[in-house]
PDB file of all heavy atoms in Angstrom:
ATOM      1  N   ASN P  29      10.669   6.059  -0.726  1.00 98.00           N
ATOM      2  CA  ASN P  29      10.430   4.804  -0.021  1.00 98.00           C
ATOM      3  C   ASN P  29       9.151   4.128  -0.558  1.00 98.00           C
ATOM      4  O   ASN P  29       9.129   2.942  -0.896  1.00 98.00           O
ATOM      5  CB  ASN P  29      10.278   5.135   1.480  1.00 98.00           C
ATOM      6  CG  ASN P  29      10.249   3.919   2.379  1.00 98.00           C
ATOM      7  OD1 ASN P  29      10.328   4.055   3.590  1.00 98.00           O
ATOM      8  ND2 ASN P  29      10.132   2.719   1.838  1.00 98.00           N
ATOM      9  N   THR P  33       8.751   0.687  -3.142  1.00 98.00           N
ATOM     10  CA  THR P  33       7.842  -0.401  -2.737  1.00 98.00           C
ATOM     11  C   THR P  33       6.801  -0.656  -3.828  1.00 98.00           C
ATOM     12  O   THR P  33       6.540  -1.808  -4.192  1.00 98.00           O
ATOM     13  CB  THR P  33       7.116  -0.028  -1.410  1.00 98.00           C
ATOM     14  OG1 THR P  33       8.073   0.481  -0.486  1.00 98.00           O
ATOM     15  CG2 THR P  33       6.406  -1.217  -0.803  1.00 98.00           C
ATOM     16  N   MET P  77      10.326  -6.193   0.594  1.00 98.00           N
ATOM     17  CA  MET P  77      10.136  -6.382   2.035  1.00 98.00           C
ATOM     18  C   MET P  77      10.982  -5.372   2.816  1.00 98.00           C
ATOM     19  O   MET P  77      10.506  -4.765   3.777  1.00 98.00           O
ATOM     20  CB  MET P  77      10.505  -7.816   2.425  1.00 98.00           C
ATOM     21  CG  MET P  77      10.175  -8.153   3.845  1.00 98.00           C
ATOM     22  SD  MET P  77       8.385  -8.029   4.146  1.00 98.00           S
ATOM     23  CE  MET P  77       8.315  -8.381   5.884  1.00 98.00           C
ATOM     24  N   LEU P  78      12.244  -5.177   2.396  1.00 98.00           N
ATOM     25  CA  LEU P  78      13.126  -4.238   3.107  1.00 98.00           C
ATOM     26  C   LEU P  78      12.533  -2.827   3.105  1.00 98.00           C
ATOM     27  O   LEU P  78      12.456  -2.164   4.136  1.00 98.00           O
ATOM     28  CB  LEU P  78      14.520  -4.216   2.465  1.00 98.00           C
ATOM     29  CG  LEU P  78      15.368  -5.483   2.634  1.00 98.00           C
ATOM     30  CD1 LEU P  78      16.659  -5.362   1.818  1.00 98.00           C
ATOM     31  CD2 LEU P  78      15.688  -5.723   4.107  1.00 98.00           C
ATOM     32  N   PHE P  79      12.090  -2.391   1.908  1.00 98.00           N
ATOM     33  CA  PHE P  79      11.532  -1.037   1.805  1.00 98.00           C
ATOM     34  C   PHE P  79      10.192  -0.938   2.522  1.00 98.00           C
ATOM     35  O   PHE P  79       9.870   0.091   3.110  1.00 98.00           O
ATOM     36  CB  PHE P  79      11.406  -0.608   0.331  1.00 98.00           C
ATOM     37  CG  PHE P  79      12.717  -0.105  -0.217  1.00 98.00           C
ATOM     38  CD1 PHE P  79      13.696  -0.973  -0.648  1.00 98.00           C
ATOM     39  CD2 PHE P  79      12.974   1.262  -0.275  1.00 98.00           C
ATOM     40  CE1 PHE P  79      14.915  -0.518  -1.123  1.00 98.00           C
ATOM     41  CE2 PHE P  79      14.191   1.734  -0.750  1.00 98.00           C
ATOM     42  CZ  PHE P  79      15.162   0.839  -1.171  1.00 98.00           C
ATOM     43  N   PHE P  80       9.398  -2.031   2.470  1.00 98.00           N
ATOM     44  CA  PHE P  80       8.106  -2.008   3.152  1.00 98.00           C
ATOM     45  C   PHE P  80       8.294  -1.882   4.666  1.00 98.00           C
ATOM     46  O   PHE P  80       7.566  -1.137   5.329  1.00 98.00           O
ATOM     47  CB  PHE P  80       7.280  -3.264   2.828  1.00 98.00           C
ATOM     48  CG  PHE P  80       5.945  -3.267   3.521  1.00 98.00           C
ATOM     49  CD1 PHE P  80       4.861  -2.593   2.966  1.00 98.00           C
ATOM     50  CD2 PHE P  80       5.782  -3.890   4.751  1.00 98.00           C
ATOM     51  CE1 PHE P  80       3.637  -2.543   3.623  1.00 98.00           C
ATOM     52  CE2 PHE P  80       4.563  -3.849   5.415  1.00 98.00           C
ATOM     53  CZ  PHE P  80       3.485  -3.183   4.843  1.00 98.00           C
ATOM     54  N   VAL P  81       9.276  -2.598   5.204  1.00 98.00           N
ATOM     55  CA  VAL P  81       9.512  -2.560   6.655  1.00 98.00           C
ATOM     56  C   VAL P  81       9.837  -1.122   7.089  1.00 98.00           C
ATOM     57  O   VAL P  81       9.316  -0.627   8.089  1.00 98.00           O
ATOM     58  CB  VAL P  81      10.637  -3.544   7.069  1.00 98.00           C
ATOM     59  CG1 VAL P  81      11.107  -3.271   8.484  1.00 98.00           C
ATOM     60  CG2 VAL P  81      10.134  -4.974   6.958  1.00 98.00           C
ATOM     61  N   VAL P  82      10.673  -0.428   6.306  1.00 98.00           N
ATOM     62  CA  VAL P  82      11.008   0.965   6.637  1.00 98.00           C
ATOM     63  C   VAL P  82       9.724   1.810   6.606  1.00 98.00           C
ATOM     64  O   VAL P  82       9.435   2.577   7.535  1.00 98.00           O
ATOM     65  CB  VAL P  82      12.063   1.533   5.653  1.00 98.00           C
ATOM     66  CG1 VAL P  82      12.301   3.019   5.923  1.00 98.00           C
ATOM     67  CG2 VAL P  82      13.366   0.739   5.753  1.00 98.00           C
ATOM     68  N   MET P  83       8.927   1.630   5.544  1.00 98.00           N
ATOM     69  CA  MET P  83       7.689   2.407   5.405  1.00 98.00           C
ATOM     70  C   MET P  83       6.729   2.065   6.546  1.00 98.00           C
ATOM     71  O   MET P  83       6.080   2.960   7.109  1.00 98.00           O
ATOM     72  CB  MET P  83       7.037   2.106   4.046  1.00 98.00           C
ATOM     73  CG  MET P  83       5.822   2.948   3.744  1.00 98.00           C
ATOM     74  SD  MET P  83       5.388   2.943   2.000  1.00 98.00           S
ATOM     75  CE  MET P  83       4.856   1.274   1.747  1.00 98.00           C
ATOM     76  N   PHE P  84       6.665   0.784   6.900  1.00 98.00           N
ATOM     77  CA  PHE P  84       5.759   0.339   7.973  1.00 98.00           C
ATOM     78  C   PHE P  84       6.090   1.078   9.277  1.00 98.00           C
ATOM     79  O   PHE P  84       5.202   1.628   9.924  1.00 98.00           O
ATOM     80  CB  PHE P  84       5.893  -1.177   8.164  1.00 98.00           C
ATOM     81  CG  PHE P  84       4.983  -1.714   9.228  1.00 98.00           C
ATOM     82  CD1 PHE P  84       3.675  -2.077   8.917  1.00 98.00           C
ATOM     83  CD2 PHE P  84       5.412  -1.841  10.545  1.00 98.00           C
ATOM     84  CE1 PHE P  84       2.820  -2.544   9.913  1.00 98.00           C
ATOM     85  CE2 PHE P  84       4.562  -2.301  11.537  1.00 98.00           C
ATOM     86  CZ  PHE P  84       3.262  -2.661  11.219  1.00 98.00           C
ATOM     87  N   PHE P  85       7.378   1.104   9.641  1.00 98.00           N
ATOM     88  CA  PHE P  85       7.722   1.756  10.914  1.00 98.00           C
ATOM     89  C   PHE P  85       7.597   3.276  10.837  1.00 98.00           C
ATOM     90  O   PHE P  85       7.334   3.926  11.835  1.00 98.00           O
ATOM     91  CB  PHE P  85       9.098   1.296  11.403  1.00 98.00           C
ATOM     92  CG  PHE P  85       9.013  -0.107  11.962  1.00 98.00           C
ATOM     93  CD1 PHE P  85       9.537  -1.186  11.269  1.00 98.00           C
ATOM     94  CD2 PHE P  85       8.353  -0.353  13.158  1.00 98.00           C
ATOM     95  CE1 PHE P  85       9.411  -2.484  11.765  1.00 98.00           C
ATOM     96  CE2 PHE P  85       8.219  -1.642  13.667  1.00 98.00           C
ATOM     97  CZ  PHE P  85       8.745  -2.705  12.973  1.00 98.00           C
ATOM     98  N   ARG P  86       7.741   3.827   9.643  1.00 98.00           N
ATOM     99  CA  ARG P  86       7.531   5.272   9.491  1.00 98.00           C
ATOM    100  C   ARG P  86       6.085   5.656   9.742  1.00 98.00           C
ATOM    101  O   ARG P  86       5.794   6.690  10.330  1.00 98.00           O
ATOM    102  CB  ARG P  86       7.853   5.680   8.048  1.00 98.00           C
ATOM    103  CG  ARG P  86       9.291   5.976   7.832  1.00 98.00           C
ATOM    104  CD  ARG P  86       9.499   6.415   6.407  1.00 98.00           C
ATOM    105  NE  ARG P  86      10.650   7.276   6.353  1.00 98.00           N
ATOM    106  CZ  ARG P  86      11.355   7.488   5.257  1.00 98.00           C
ATOM    107  NH1 ARG P  86      11.010   6.928   4.132  1.00 98.00           N
ATOM    108  NH2 ARG P  86      12.385   8.281   5.282  1.00 98.00           N
ATOM    109  N   PHE P  87       5.141   4.825   9.243  1.00 98.00           N
ATOM    110  CA  PHE P  87       3.731   5.214   9.239  1.00 98.00           C
ATOM    111  C   PHE P  87       2.883   4.540  10.298  1.00 98.00           C
ATOM    112  O   PHE P  87       1.720   4.916  10.475  1.00 98.00           O
ATOM    113  CB  PHE P  87       3.106   4.942   7.856  1.00 98.00           C
ATOM    114  CG  PHE P  87       3.659   5.817   6.759  1.00 98.00           C
ATOM    115  CD1 PHE P  87       3.924   5.303   5.502  1.00 98.00           C
ATOM    116  CD2 PHE P  87       3.898   7.164   6.985  1.00 98.00           C
ATOM    117  CE1 PHE P  87       4.429   6.101   4.485  1.00 98.00           C
ATOM    118  CE2 PHE P  87       4.394   7.975   5.970  1.00 98.00           C
ATOM    119  CZ  PHE P  87       4.668   7.442   4.718  1.00 98.00           C
ATOM    120  N   GLN P  88       3.427   3.558  11.019  1.00 98.00           N
ATOM    121  CA  GLN P  88       2.536   2.787  11.902  1.00 98.00           C
ATOM    122  C   GLN P  88       1.903   3.636  13.007  1.00 98.00           C
ATOM    123  O   GLN P  88       0.739   3.434  13.346  1.00 98.00           O
ATOM    124  CB  GLN P  88       3.227   1.532  12.457  1.00 98.00           C
ATOM    125  CG  GLN P  88       4.540   1.746  13.201  1.00 98.00           C
ATOM    126  CD  GLN P  88       4.338   1.974  14.679  1.00 98.00           C
ATOM    127  OE1 GLN P  88       3.332   1.589  15.229  1.00 98.00           O
ATOM    128  NE2 GLN P  88       5.311   2.620  15.312  1.00 98.00           N
ATOM    129  N   GLY P  89       2.645   4.620  13.513  1.00 97.00           N
ATOM    130  CA  GLY P  89       2.094   5.462  14.580  1.00 97.00           C
ATOM    131  C   GLY P  89       0.875   6.254  14.124  1.00 97.00           C
ATOM    132  O   GLY P  89      -0.032   6.527  14.914  1.00 97.00           O
ATOM    133  N   LEU P  90       0.846   6.612  12.828  1.00 97.00           N
ATOM    134  CA  LEU P  90      -0.262   7.414  12.291  1.00 97.00           C
ATOM    135  C   LEU P  90      -1.457   6.545  11.901  1.00 97.00           C
ATOM    136  O   LEU P  90      -2.485   7.058  11.463  1.00 97.00           O
ATOM    137  CB  LEU P  90       0.212   8.179  11.056  1.00 97.00           C
ATOM    138  CG  LEU P  90       1.248   9.278  11.313  1.00 97.00           C
ATOM    139  CD1 LEU P  90       1.974   9.640  10.020  1.00 97.00           C
ATOM    140  CD2 LEU P  90       0.565  10.508  11.896  1.00 97.00           C
ATOM    141  N   ASN P  91      -1.290   5.220  11.997  1.00 98.00           N
ATOM    142  CA  ASN P  91      -2.350   4.321  11.537  1.00 98.00           C
ATOM    143  C   ASN P  91      -3.061   3.579  12.660  1.00 98.00           C
ATOM    144  O   ASN P  91      -3.744   2.596  12.416  1.00 98.00           O
ATOM    145  CB  ASN P  91      -1.770   3.319  10.521  1.00 98.00           C
ATOM    146  CG  ASN P  91      -1.619   3.953   9.149  1.00 98.00           C
ATOM    147  OD1 ASN P  91      -2.589   4.137   8.427  1.00 98.00           O
ATOM    148  ND2 ASN P  91      -0.400   4.321   8.806  1.00 98.00           N
ATOM    149  N   ARG P  92      -2.882   4.036  13.908  1.00 98.00           N
ATOM    150  CA  ARG P  92      -3.597   3.417  15.029  1.00 98.00           C
ATOM    151  C   ARG P  92      -5.086   3.727  14.913  1.00 98.00           C
ATOM    152  O   ARG P  92      -5.456   4.899  14.753  1.00 98.00           O
ATOM    153  CB  ARG P  92      -3.077   3.964  16.362  1.00 98.00           C
ATOM    154  CG  ARG P  92      -1.599   3.769  16.579  1.00 98.00           C
ATOM    155  CD  ARG P  92      -1.327   2.427  17.249  1.00 98.00           C
ATOM    156  NE  ARG P  92       0.058   2.011  17.017  1.00 98.00           N
ATOM    157  CZ  ARG P  92       1.098   2.439  17.731  1.00 98.00           C
ATOM    158  NH1 ARG P  92       0.897   3.269  18.721  1.00 98.00           N
ATOM    159  NH2 ARG P  92       2.308   2.001  17.461  1.00 98.00           N
ATOM    160  N   PHE P 129      -3.718  -0.422   5.761  1.00 98.00           N
ATOM    161  CA  PHE P 129      -2.317  -0.411   6.192  1.00 98.00           C
ATOM    162  C   PHE P 129      -1.995  -1.674   6.994  1.00 98.00           C
ATOM    163  O   PHE P 129      -1.006  -2.364   6.733  1.00 98.00           O
ATOM    164  CB  PHE P 129      -2.062   0.842   7.044  1.00 98.00           C
ATOM    165  CG  PHE P 129      -0.684   0.904   7.638  1.00 98.00           C
ATOM    166  CD1 PHE P 129       0.374   1.435   6.918  1.00 98.00           C
ATOM    167  CD2 PHE P 129      -0.435   0.416   8.914  1.00 98.00           C
ATOM    168  CE1 PHE P 129       1.648   1.490   7.459  1.00 98.00           C
ATOM    169  CE2 PHE P 129       0.839   0.465   9.467  1.00 98.00           C
ATOM    170  CZ  PHE P 129       1.882   1.004   8.738  1.00 98.00           C
ATOM    171  N   TRP P 130      -2.879  -2.017   7.979  1.00 98.00           N
ATOM    172  CA  TRP P 130      -2.589  -3.198   8.814  1.00 98.00           C
ATOM    173  C   TRP P 130      -2.739  -4.481   8.014  1.00 98.00           C
ATOM    174  O   TRP P 130      -1.979  -5.438   8.213  1.00 98.00           O
ATOM    175  CB  TRP P 130      -3.494  -3.205  10.065  1.00 98.00           C
ATOM    176  CG  TRP P 130      -3.164  -2.042  10.946  1.00 98.00           C
ATOM    177  CD1 TRP P 130      -3.941  -0.939  11.170  1.00 98.00           C
ATOM    178  CD2 TRP P 130      -1.942  -1.813  11.674  1.00 98.00           C
ATOM    179  NE1 TRP P 130      -3.282  -0.048  11.984  1.00 98.00           N
ATOM    180  CE2 TRP P 130      -2.058  -0.566  12.315  1.00 98.00           C
ATOM    181  CE3 TRP P 130      -0.766  -2.548  11.836  1.00 98.00           C
ATOM    182  CZ2 TRP P 130      -1.044  -0.026  13.113  1.00 98.00           C
ATOM    183  CZ3 TRP P 130       0.246  -2.020  12.624  1.00 98.00           C
ATOM    184  CH2 TRP P 130       0.100  -0.774  13.246  1.00 98.00           C
ATOM    185  N   PHE P 131      -3.701  -4.480   7.078  1.00 98.00           N
ATOM    186  CA  PHE P 131      -3.818  -5.677   6.235  1.00 98.00           C
ATOM    187  C   PHE P 131      -2.536  -5.866   5.427  1.00 98.00           C
ATOM    188  O   PHE P 131      -2.019  -6.989   5.312  1.00 98.00           O
ATOM    189  CB  PHE P 131      -5.033  -5.581   5.290  1.00 98.00           C
ATOM    190  CG  PHE P 131      -5.001  -6.700   4.288  1.00 98.00           C
ATOM    191  CD1 PHE P 131      -5.343  -7.990   4.666  1.00 98.00           C
ATOM    192  CD2 PHE P 131      -4.532  -6.479   2.998  1.00 98.00           C
ATOM    193  CE1 PHE P 131      -5.227  -9.045   3.769  1.00 98.00           C
ATOM    194  CE2 PHE P 131      -4.422  -7.528   2.094  1.00 98.00           C
ATOM    195  CZ  PHE P 131      -4.778  -8.818   2.484  1.00 98.00           C
ATOM    196  N   LEU P 132      -1.986  -4.769   4.868  1.00 98.00           N
ATOM    197  CA  LEU P 132      -0.758  -4.873   4.066  1.00 98.00           C
ATOM    198  C   LEU P 132       0.384  -5.411   4.911  1.00 98.00           C
ATOM    199  O   LEU P 132       1.201  -6.205   4.442  1.00 98.00           O
ATOM    200  CB  LEU P 132      -0.380  -3.509   3.468  1.00 98.00           C
ATOM    201  CG  LEU P 132      -1.292  -2.966   2.359  1.00 98.00           C
ATOM    202  CD1 LEU P 132      -0.845  -1.567   1.936  1.00 98.00           C
ATOM    203  CD2 LEU P 132      -1.300  -3.900   1.162  1.00 98.00           C
ATOM    204  N   GLY P 133       0.436  -4.990   6.190  1.00 98.00           N
ATOM    205  CA  GLY P 133       1.482  -5.486   7.093  1.00 98.00           C
ATOM    206  C   GLY P 133       1.404  -6.994   7.251  1.00 98.00           C
ATOM    207  O   GLY P 133       2.419  -7.700   7.119  1.00 98.00           O
ATOM    208  N   VAL P 134       0.180  -7.498   7.480  1.00 98.00           N
ATOM    209  CA  VAL P 134      -0.008  -8.947   7.661  1.00 98.00           C
ATOM    210  C   VAL P 134       0.328  -9.671   6.348  1.00 98.00           C
ATOM    211  O   VAL P 134       1.064 -10.673   6.335  1.00 98.00           O
ATOM    212  CB  VAL P 134      -1.467  -9.266   8.090  1.00 98.00           C
ATOM    213  CG1 VAL P 134      -1.723 -10.765   8.092  1.00 98.00           C
ATOM    214  CG2 VAL P 134      -1.763  -8.663   9.461  1.00 98.00           C
ATOM    215  N   MET P 136       2.219  -8.764   3.824  1.00 98.00           N
ATOM    216  CA  MET P 136       3.653  -8.753   3.506  1.00 98.00           C
ATOM    217  C   MET P 136       4.402  -9.791   4.340  1.00 98.00           C
ATOM    218  O   MET P 136       5.303 -10.462   3.837  1.00 98.00           O
ATOM    219  CB  MET P 136       4.250  -7.362   3.760  1.00 98.00           C
ATOM    220  CG  MET P 136       3.950  -6.339   2.702  1.00 98.00           C
ATOM    221  SD  MET P 136       4.571  -6.755   1.061  1.00 98.00           S
ATOM    222  CE  MET P 136       6.330  -6.680   1.314  1.00 98.00           C
TER     223      MET P 136
END
Side-chain angles (χ1 to χ4, degrees):
N29 189 169
T33 314
M77 187 62 183
L78 291 174
F79 279 81
F80 180 84
V81 166
V82 174
M83 185 162 68
F84 181 86
F85 285 107
R86 274 182 153 158
F87 293 139
Q88 55 90 22
L90 293 161
N91 281 284
R92 302 271 159 82
F129 175 86
W130 294 110
F131 171 75
L132 290 176
V134 172
M136 283 299 293

